[in-house]
Amino acid sequence: MHDELVDHLTRSTPLQRGEALRVIQDVLAFFDETTEDYVRRRHRELQAEGLVNAEIFERVAADLQYRAVAPPELSIRQLRRIVYG
């Protein structure tokens, strides 16, 4: 799977074939995260840094537009509902 990309990485970086495959799998797993899972994870991370919800939801809303496949714009209320149900 992804042999062409693995070959490219082994030619263009010092990675060995197995390492390149693991990097690809990690990147794909990162981009497989759903919008809801991303919002929940980032909320937990930012809350652990001591930010309050008002700051957290503003930051998450801004960050979502830079995801590889950006979801539709979500309101602060929609973000809160993802986290708190």
Side-chain angles (χ1 to χ4, degrees), residues 9-60:
L9 286 175
T10 58
R11 281 192 312 270
S12 63
T13 69
L15 296 174
Q16 299 297 315
R17 188 164 189 78
E19 295 168 324
L21 184 56
R22 280 192 303 279
V23 167
I24 292 167
Q25 290 169 337
D26 284 348
V27 169
L28 291 176
F30 176 82
F31 286 115
D32 264 352
E33 185 176 40
T34 66
T35 299
E36 290 80 6
D37 289 341
Y38 174 81
V39 169
R40 289 182 192 109
R41 177 178 60 80
R42 285 299 290 150
H43 181 269
R44 284 190 308 272
E45 291 170 352
L46 295 170
Q47 201 172 42
E49 291 179 16
L51 275 70
V52 296
N53 276 343
E55 296 170 312
I56 291 171
F57 290 121
E58 288 294 329
R59 186 178 298 182
V60 170

Side-chain angles (χ1 to χ4, degrees), residues 2 13-14 24 32 57 63-65 71 74 76 78-79 81:
H2 308 293
T13 69
I24 292 167
D32 264 352
F57 290 121
D63 290 349
L64 282 172
Q65 67 183 332
L74 299 173
I76 299 301
Q78 289 170 309
L79 294 171
R81 292 191 77 158

